[in-house]
Amino acid sequence: MINMIQYLEQNPSLVTLLKEKKASLIGISELEQKAILDSFNEELGTESRLWN
């Protein structure tokens, strides 16, 4: 799973497609996919709070 997260970090357009439900992660449960997407949302939220 770490490799997948690293790949998504390098390809943020795929994160967007996952959020829009235009793509899915093969071999990952819906709950795991939600957790991965939530972690990307938290990363963005933390960065934006630092700049405010």
Side-chain angles (χ1 to χ4, degrees):
M1 185 173 312
I2 293 291
N3 291 338
M4 185 179 316
I5 292 170
Q6 290 173 339
Y7 185 80
L8 291 173
E9 287 175 335
Q10 296 169 357
N11 298 282
S13 61
L14 292 177
V15 175
T16 301
L17 291 173
L18 288 167
K19 288 178 182 178
E20 295 173 350
K21 303 215 185 276
K22 294 182 179 178
S24 62
L25 300 174
I26 303 295
I28 299 294
S29 72
E30 189 175 328
L31 184 61
E32 290 170 323
Q33 184 168 318
K34 182 179 180 330
I36 291 169
L37 292 176
D38 286 348
S39 72
F40 278 94
N41 288 337
E42 288 174 12
E43 273 186 29
L44 294 174
T46 301
E47 289 176 10
S48 65
R49 276 187 253 133
L50 290 175
W51 293 106
N52 289 332

